[in-house]
Amino acid sequence: MNIILSRLLPILPSYSHQSARFLRSNNLVERLKSNNQNAQTVCVVPDPIENRGIIYEPPYLFEVDLFPNYQLLAVSIRGYDYVVLEGYFRYIQKLAKSLDITVPEAVPIPAKSSRVTILKPRSAQIDVEHHLNLYHRIVKFAKVKATIAPMLFECIRLNIPEGVELKIDTPNSADDEFRYVPDVELQQLQSELRAIDHEKEETQKARDAKRALKQKEKAQAMLLSILSPFNDETVPPS
């Protein structure tokens, strides 16, 4: 700005030769009193961070992270082959590490056993019997950037082995129940409380039904008392 003014000085008239200064400040009066320079023209540019009411600046310009982040994600994988599932489980962790993604937890869930039987044709006899173990693993990601998430999901999806079930969702509290030992006494007390509440509800329903029946009988008696003079047969005089 000073270079431009120096080039314009020979062209401007003599009475307009005044130096100009551009200050980035919030209080023009304090700056003028501190500098004591009345001959100069001071142009104040408000600070956009402190004076958002004076000039408009988009709020995303002052944000540290320009892109939104996923708070917490859970990648759930299931499969019957332990070796394949464990290798894929390690691959997902290495992929997240290479993309600088925080992995707060990588949880192996105990396997669930099941028995599958195949019957002979047109018979109730067992032909083949299989014992299958379903293995389950969960990898949790924290603060995944929205720009990196599609790349992460696509790499996980393209490298999924055969026979492995993949699911990406927010963490579910039901998946963490196996990590806690159940309190038998607490469960017994909770069942007793539920039984007491159920008994109270049944008693209250019986009382409400009895009260409604009494009100109905009272209304019918009142209606009969009102209509009784019209129903009585008049006896003729002898």
mmCIF file with all atom_site columns, all heavy atoms in Angstrom, residues 168-185:
data_model
loop_
_atom_site.group_PDB
_atom_site.id
_atom_site.type_symbol
_atom_site.label_atom_id
_atom_site.label_alt_id
_atom_site.label_comp_id
_atom_site.label_asym_id
_atom_site.label_entity_id
_atom_site.label_seq_id
_atom_site.pdbx_PDB_ins_code
_atom_site.Cartn_x
_atom_site.Cartn_y
_atom_site.Cartn_z
_atom_site.occupancy
_atom_site.B_iso_or_equiv
_atom_site.pdbx_formal_charge
_atom_site.auth_seq_id
_atom_site.auth_comp_id
_atom_site.auth_asym_id
_atom_site.auth_atom_id
_atom_site.pdbx_PDB_model_num
ATOM 1   N N   . ILE A 1 168 ? -19.954 -52.325 9.360  1.00 0.00 ? 168 ILE A N   1
ATOM 2   C CA  . ILE A 1 168 ? -19.389 -51.084 9.894  1.00 0.00 ? 168 ILE A CA  1
ATOM 3   C C   . ILE A 1 168 ? -20.533 -50.248 10.433 1.00 0.00 ? 168 ILE A C   1
ATOM 4   O O   . ILE A 1 168 ? -21.436 -49.860 9.699  1.00 0.00 ? 168 ILE A O   1
ATOM 5   C CB  . ILE A 1 168 ? -18.604 -50.310 8.813  1.00 0.00 ? 168 ILE A CB  1
ATOM 6   C CG1 . ILE A 1 168 ? -17.482 -51.181 8.248  1.00 0.00 ? 168 ILE A CG1 1
ATOM 7   C CG2 . ILE A 1 168 ? -18.041 -49.019 9.393  1.00 0.00 ? 168 ILE A CG2 1
ATOM 8   C CD1 . ILE A 1 168 ? -16.738 -50.537 7.099  1.00 0.00 ? 168 ILE A CD1 1
ATOM 9   N N   . ASP A 1 169 ? -20.476 -49.956 11.733 1.00 0.00 ? 169 ASP A N   1
ATOM 10  C CA  . ASP A 1 169 ? -21.571 -49.243 12.391 1.00 0.00 ? 169 ASP A CA  1
ATOM 11  C C   . ASP A 1 169 ? -21.018 -48.571 13.641 1.00 0.00 ? 169 ASP A C   1
ATOM 12  O O   . ASP A 1 169 ? -19.836 -48.708 13.977 1.00 0.00 ? 169 ASP A O   1
ATOM 13  C CB  . ASP A 1 169 ? -22.692 -50.229 12.736 1.00 0.00 ? 169 ASP A CB  1
ATOM 14  C CG  . ASP A 1 169 ? -24.023 -49.521 12.977 1.00 0.00 ? 169 ASP A CG  1
ATOM 15  O OD1 . ASP A 1 169 ? -24.043 -48.281 12.961 1.00 0.00 ? 169 ASP A OD1 1
ATOM 16  O OD2 . ASP A 1 169 ? -25.046 -50.210 13.191 1.00 0.00 ? 169 ASP A OD2 1
ATOM 17  N N   . THR A 1 170 ? -21.878 -47.838 14.332 1.00 0.00 ? 170 THR A N   1
ATOM 18  C CA  . THR A 1 170 ? -21.507 -47.267 15.624 1.00 0.00 ? 170 THR A CA  1
ATOM 19  C C   . THR A 1 170 ? -21.443 -48.379 16.680 1.00 0.00 ? 170 THR A C   1
ATOM 20  O O   . THR A 1 170 ? -22.106 -49.409 16.537 1.00 0.00 ? 170 THR A O   1
ATOM 21  C CB  . THR A 1 170 ? -22.520 -46.208 16.050 1.00 0.00 ? 170 THR A CB  1
ATOM 22  O OG1 . THR A 1 170 ? -23.838 -46.780 16.039 1.00 0.00 ? 170 THR A OG1 1
ATOM 23  C CG2 . THR A 1 170 ? -22.485 -45.023 15.085 1.00 0.00 ? 170 THR A CG2 1
ATOM 24  N N   . PRO A 1 171 ? -20.666 -48.214 17.736 1.00 0.00 ? 171 PRO A N   1
ATOM 25  C CA  . PRO A 1 171 ? -20.557 -49.266 18.754 1.00 0.00 ? 171 PRO A CA  1
ATOM 26  C C   . PRO A 1 171 ? -21.895 -49.598 19.394 1.00 0.00 ? 171 PRO A C   1
ATOM 27  O O   . PRO A 1 171 ? -22.716 -48.721 19.660 1.00 0.00 ? 171 PRO A O   1
ATOM 28  C CB  . PRO A 1 171 ? -19.582 -48.669 19.774 1.00 0.00 ? 171 PRO A CB  1
ATOM 29  C CG  . PRO A 1 171 ? -18.803 -47.668 19.008 1.00 0.00 ? 171 PRO A CG  1
ATOM 30  C CD  . PRO A 1 171 ? -19.737 -47.100 17.986 1.00 0.00 ? 171 PRO A CD  1
ATOM 31  N N   . ASN A 1 172 ? -22.095 -50.884 19.631 1.00 0.00 ? 172 ASN A N   1
ATOM 32  C CA  . ASN A 1 172 ? -23.326 -51.381 20.236 1.00 0.00 ? 172 ASN A CA  1
ATOM 33  C C   . ASN A 1 172 ? -23.012 -51.910 21.632 1.00 0.00 ? 172 ASN A C   1
ATOM 34  O O   . ASN A 1 172 ? -22.043 -52.645 21.832 1.00 0.00 ? 172 ASN A O   1
ATOM 35  C CB  . ASN A 1 172 ? -23.928 -52.489 19.369 1.00 0.00 ? 172 ASN A CB  1
ATOM 36  C CG  . ASN A 1 172 ? -25.303 -52.893 19.843 1.00 0.00 ? 172 ASN A CG  1
ATOM 37  O OD1 . ASN A 1 172 ? -25.871 -52.273 20.740 1.00 0.00 ? 172 ASN A OD1 1
ATOM 38  N ND2 . ASN A 1 172 ? -25.852 -53.929 19.238 1.00 0.00 ? 172 ASN A ND2 1
ATOM 39  N N   . SER A 1 173 ? -23.845 -51.517 22.594 1.00 0.00 ? 173 SER A N   1
ATOM 40  C CA  . SER A 1 173 ? -23.615 -51.956 23.976 1.00 0.00 ? 173 SER A CA  1
ATOM 41  C C   . SER A 1 173 ? -23.817 -53.457 24.141 1.00 0.00 ? 173 SER A C   1
ATOM 42  O O   . SER A 1 173 ? -23.246 -54.070 25.056 1.00 0.00 ? 173 SER A O   1
ATOM 43  C CB  . SER A 1 173 ? -24.550 -51.203 24.924 1.00 0.00 ? 173 SER A CB  1
ATOM 44  O OG  . SER A 1 173 ? -25.907 -51.437 24.575 1.00 0.00 ? 173 SER A OG  1
ATOM 45  N N   . ALA A 1 174 ? -24.605 -54.085 23.271 1.00 0.00 ? 174 ALA A N   1
ATOM 46  C CA  . ALA A 1 174 ? -24.838 -55.522 23.390 1.00 0.00 ? 174 ALA A CA  1
ATOM 47  C C   . ALA A 1 174 ? -23.577 -56.325 23.093 1.00 0.00 ? 174 ALA A C   1
ATOM 48  O O   . ALA A 1 174 ? -23.420 -57.448 23.594 1.00 0.00 ? 174 ALA A O   1
ATOM 49  C CB  . ALA A 1 174 ? -25.960 -55.945 22.448 1.00 0.00 ? 174 ALA A CB  1
ATOM 50  N N   . ASP A 1 175 ? -22.675 -55.767 22.285 1.00 0.00 ? 175 ASP A N   1
ATOM 51  C CA  . ASP A 1 175 ? -21.434 -56.486 21.976 1.00 0.00 ? 175 ASP A CA  1
ATOM 52  C C   . ASP A 1 175 ? -20.451 -56.501 23.136 1.00 0.00 ? 175 ASP A C   1
ATOM 53  O O   . ASP A 1 175 ? -19.504 -57.294 23.137 1.00 0.00 ? 175 ASP A O   1
ATOM 54  C CB  . ASP A 1 175 ? -20.765 -55.856 20.747 1.00 0.00 ? 175 ASP A CB  1
ATOM 55  C CG  . ASP A 1 175 ? -21.617 -56.008 19.501 1.00 0.00 ? 175 ASP A CG  1
ATOM 56  O OD1 . ASP A 1 175 ? -22.404 -56.973 19.445 1.00 0.00 ? 175 ASP A OD1 1
ATOM 57  O OD2 . ASP A 1 175 ? -21.498 -55.165 18.595 1.00 0.00 ? 175 ASP A OD2 1
ATOM 58  N N   . ASP A 1 176 ? -20.639 -55.624 24.131 1.00 0.00 ? 176 ASP A N   1
ATOM 59  C CA  . ASP A 1 176 ? -19.721 -55.550 25.266 1.00 0.00 ? 176 ASP A CA  1
ATOM 60  C C   . ASP A 1 176 ? -20.232 -56.298 26.500 1.00 0.00 ? 176 ASP A C   1
ATOM 61  O O   . ASP A 1 176 ? -19.573 -56.259 27.549 1.00 0.00 ? 176 ASP A O   1
ATOM 62  C CB  . ASP A 1 176 ? -19.478 -54.086 25.646 1.00 0.00 ? 176 ASP A CB  1
ATOM 63  C CG  . ASP A 1 176 ? -18.765 -53.337 24.525 1.00 0.00 ? 176 ASP A CG  1
ATOM 64  O OD1 . ASP A 1 176 ? -18.065 -54.005 23.741 1.00 0.00 ? 176 ASP A OD1 1
ATOM 65  O OD2 . ASP A 1 176 ? -18.912 -52.104 24.445 1.00 0.00 ? 176 ASP A OD2 1
ATOM 66  N N   . GLU A 1 177 ? -21.376 -56.930 26.386 1.00 0.00 ? 177 GLU A N   1
ATOM 67  C CA  . GLU A 1 177 ? -21.920 -57.617 27.562 1.00 0.00 ? 177 GLU A CA  1
ATOM 68  C C   . GLU A 1 177 ? -21.063 -58.808 27.985 1.00 0.00 ? 177 GLU A C   1
ATOM 69  O O   . GLU A 1 177 ? -20.991 -59.143 29.165 1.00 0.00 ? 177 GLU A O   1
ATOM 70  C CB  . GLU A 1 177 ? -23.349 -58.076 27.268 1.00 0.00 ? 177 GLU A CB  1
ATOM 71  C CG  . GLU A 1 177 ? -24.338 -56.924 27.131 1.00 0.00 ? 177 GLU A CG  1
ATOM 72  C CD  . GLU A 1 177 ? -25.749 -57.410 26.868 1.00 0.00 ? 177 GLU A CD  1
ATOM 73  O OE1 . GLU A 1 177 ? -25.913 -58.650 26.721 1.00 0.00 ? 177 GLU A OE1 1
ATOM 74  O OE2 . GLU A 1 177 ? -26.663 -56.581 26.802 1.00 0.00 ? 177 GLU A OE2 1
ATOM 75  N N   . PHE A 1 178 ? -20.400 -59.461 27.022 1.00 0.00 ? 178 PHE A N   1
ATOM 76  C CA  . PHE A 1 178 ? -19.603 -60.642 27.363 1.00 0.00 ? 178 PHE A CA  1
ATOM 77  C C   . PHE A 1 178 ? -18.374 -60.281 28.194 1.00 0.00 ? 178 PHE A C   1
ATOM 78  O O   . PHE A 1 178 ? -17.776 -61.154 28.846 1.00 0.00 ? 178 PHE A O   1
ATOM 79  C CB  . PHE A 1 178 ? -19.148 -61.326 26.076 1.00 0.00 ? 178 PHE A CB  1
ATOM 80  C CG  . PHE A 1 178 ? -18.047 -60.600 25.364 1.00 0.00 ? 178 PHE A CG  1
ATOM 81  C CD1 . PHE A 1 178 ? -16.725 -60.962 25.531 1.00 0.00 ? 178 PHE A CD1 1
ATOM 82  C CD2 . PHE A 1 178 ? -18.329 -59.528 24.527 1.00 0.00 ? 178 PHE A CD2 1
ATOM 83  C CE1 . PHE A 1 178 ? -15.717 -60.294 24.874 1.00 0.00 ? 178 PHE A CE1 1
ATOM 84  C CE2 . PHE A 1 178 ? -17.325 -58.854 23.866 1.00 0.00 ? 178 PHE A CE2 1
ATOM 85  C CZ  . PHE A 1 178 ? -16.016 -59.244 24.042 1.00 0.00 ? 178 PHE A CZ  1
ATOM 86  N N   . ARG A 1 179 ? -18.000 -58.994 28.216 1.00 0.00 ? 179 ARG A N   1
ATOM 87  C CA  . ARG A 1 179 ? -16.793 -58.592 28.921 1.00 0.00 ? 179 ARG A CA  1
ATOM 88  C C   . ARG A 1 179 ? -17.027 -58.410 30.421 1.00 0.00 ? 179 ARG A C   1
ATOM 89  O O   . ARG A 1 179 ? -16.069 -58.219 31.167 1.00 0.00 ? 179 ARG A O   1
ATOM 90  C CB  . ARG A 1 179 ? -16.271 -57.286 28.324 1.00 0.00 ? 179 ARG A CB  1
ATOM 91  C CG  . ARG A 1 179 ? -16.028 -57.374 26.829 1.00 0.00 ? 179 ARG A CG  1
ATOM 92  C CD  . ARG A 1 179 ? -15.655 -56.042 26.217 1.00 0.00 ? 179 ARG A CD  1
ATOM 93  N NE  . ARG A 1 179 ? -14.396 -55.546 26.718 1.00 0.00 ? 179 ARG A NE  1
ATOM 94  C CZ  . ARG A 1 179 ? -13.873 -54.378 26.351 1.00 0.00 ? 179 ARG A CZ  1
ATOM 95  N NH1 . ARG A 1 179 ? -14.500 -53.609 25.480 1.00 0.00 ? 179 ARG A NH1 1
ATOM 96  N NH2 . ARG A 1 179 ? -12.726 -53.982 26.840 1.00 0.00 ? 179 ARG A NH2 1
ATOM 97  N N   . TYR A 1 180 ? -18.248 -58.441 30.850 1.00 0.00 ? 180 TYR A N   1
ATOM 98  C CA  . TYR A 1 180 ? -18.573 -58.210 32.251 1.00 0.00 ? 180 TYR A CA  1
ATOM 99  C C   . TYR A 1 180 ? -19.147 -59.490 32.864 1.00 0.00 ? 180 TYR A C   1
ATOM 100 O O   . TYR A 1 180 ? -19.978 -60.169 32.258 1.00 0.00 ? 180 TYR A O   1
ATOM 101 C CB  . TYR A 1 180 ? -19.580 -57.072 32.384 1.00 0.00 ? 180 TYR A CB  1
ATOM 102 C CG  . TYR A 1 180 ? -19.113 -55.797 31.731 1.00 0.00 ? 180 TYR A CG  1
ATOM 103 C CD1 . TYR A 1 180 ? -19.586 -55.427 30.464 1.00 0.00 ? 180 TYR A CD1 1
ATOM 104 C CD2 . TYR A 1 180 ? -18.187 -54.965 32.350 1.00 0.00 ? 180 TYR A CD2 1
ATOM 105 C CE1 . TYR A 1 180 ? -19.150 -54.261 29.850 1.00 0.00 ? 180 TYR A CE1 1
ATOM 106 C CE2 . TYR A 1 180 ? -17.749 -53.798 31.742 1.00 0.00 ? 180 TYR A CE2 1
ATOM 107 C CZ  . TYR A 1 180 ? -18.233 -53.452 30.498 1.00 0.00 ? 180 TYR A CZ  1
ATOM 108 O OH  . TYR A 1 180 ? -17.805 -52.308 29.893 1.00 0.00 ? 180 TYR A OH  1
ATOM 109 N N   . VAL A 1 181 ? -18.714 -59.788 34.090 1.00 0.00 ? 181 VAL A N   1
ATOM 110 C CA  . VAL A 1 181 ? -19.199 -60.974 34.809 1.00 0.00 ? 181 VAL A CA  1
ATOM 111 C C   . VAL A 1 181 ? -20.562 -60.641 35.402 1.00 0.00 ? 181 VAL A C   1
ATOM 112 O O   . VAL A 1 181 ? -20.702 -59.632 36.119 1.00 0.00 ? 181 VAL A O   1
ATOM 113 C CB  . VAL A 1 181 ? -18.214 -61.379 35.917 1.00 0.00 ? 181 VAL A CB  1
ATOM 114 C CG1 . VAL A 1 181 ? -18.736 -62.584 36.690 1.00 0.00 ? 181 VAL A CG1 1
ATOM 115 C CG2 . VAL A 1 181 ? -16.850 -61.663 35.323 1.00 0.00 ? 181 VAL A CG2 1
ATOM 116 N N   . PRO A 1 182 ? -21.587 -61.430 35.132 1.00 0.00 ? 182 PRO A N   1
ATOM 117 C CA  . PRO A 1 182 ? -22.916 -61.107 35.674 1.00 0.00 ? 182 PRO A CA  1
ATOM 118 C C   . PRO A 1 182 ? -22.966 -61.284 37.187 1.00 0.00 ? 182 PRO A C   1
ATOM 119 O O   . PRO A 1 182 ? -22.381 -62.224 37.749 1.00 0.00 ? 182 PRO A O   1
ATOM 120 C CB  . PRO A 1 182 ? -23.838 -62.097 34.950 1.00 0.00 ? 182 PRO A CB  1
ATOM 121 C CG  . PRO A 1 182 ? -22.955 -63.232 34.559 1.00 0.00 ? 182 PRO A CG  1
ATOM 122 C CD  . PRO A 1 182 ? -21.603 -62.634 34.286 1.00 0.00 ? 182 PRO A CD  1
ATOM 123 N N   . ASP A 1 183 ? -23.675 -60.403 37.856 1.00 0.00 ? 183 ASP A N   1
ATOM 124 C CA  . ASP A 1 183 ? -23.871 -60.459 39.298 1.00 0.00 ? 183 ASP A CA  1
ATOM 125 C C   . ASP A 1 183 ? -25.162 -61.230 39.570 1.00 0.00 ? 183 ASP A C   1
ATOM 126 O O   . ASP A 1 183 ? -26.263 -60.759 39.272 1.00 0.00 ? 183 ASP A O   1
ATOM 127 C CB  . ASP A 1 183 ? -23.951 -59.050 39.873 1.00 0.00 ? 183 ASP A CB  1
ATOM 128 C CG  . ASP A 1 183 ? -23.851 -59.042 41.391 1.00 0.00 ? 183 ASP A CG  1
ATOM 129 O OD1 . ASP A 1 183 ? -23.963 -60.134 41.989 1.00 0.00 ? 183 ASP A OD1 1
ATOM 130 O OD2 . ASP A 1 183 ? -23.667 -57.950 41.968 1.00 0.00 ? 183 ASP A OD2 1
ATOM 131 N N   . VAL A 1 184 ? -25.017 -62.425 40.137 1.00 0.00 ? 184 VAL A N   1
ATOM 132 C CA  . VAL A 1 184 ? -26.183 -63.294 40.348 1.00 0.00 ? 184 VAL A CA  1
ATOM 133 C C   . VAL A 1 184 ? -27.127 -62.686 41.378 1.00 0.00 ? 184 VAL A C   1
ATOM 134 O O   . VAL A 1 184 ? -28.355 -62.699 41.196 1.00 0.00 ? 184 VAL A O   1
ATOM 135 C CB  . VAL A 1 184 ? -25.715 -64.693 40.787 1.00 0.00 ? 184 VAL A CB  1
ATOM 136 C CG1 . VAL A 1 184 ? -26.922 -65.612 41.013 1.00 0.00 ? 184 VAL A CG1 1
ATOM 137 C CG2 . VAL A 1 184 ? -24.775 -65.290 39.750 1.00 0.00 ? 184 VAL A CG2 1
ATOM 138 N N   . GLU A 1 185 ? -26.573 -62.144 42.463 1.00 0.00 ? 185 GLU A N   1
ATOM 139 C CA  . GLU A 1 185 ? -27.419 -61.553 43.500 1.00 0.00 ? 185 GLU A CA  1
ATOM 140 C C   . GLU A 1 185 ? -28.184 -60.352 42.958 1.00 0.00 ? 185 GLU A C   1
ATOM 141 O O   . GLU A 1 185 ? -29.372 -60.167 43.263 1.00 0.00 ? 185 GLU A O   1
ATOM 142 C CB  . GLU A 1 185 ? -26.566 -61.151 44.692 1.00 0.00 ? 185 GLU A CB  1
ATOM 143 C CG  . GLU A 1 185 ? -25.905 -62.325 45.414 1.00 0.00 ? 185 GLU A CG  1
ATOM 144 C CD  . GLU A 1 185 ? -25.093 -61.873 46.603 1.00 0.00 ? 185 GLU A CD  1
ATOM 145 O OE1 . GLU A 1 185 ? -25.038 -60.646 46.828 1.00 0.00 ? 185 GLU A OE1 1
ATOM 146 O OE2 . GLU A 1 185 ? -24.531 -62.736 47.297 1.00 0.00 ? 185 GLU A OE2 1
#
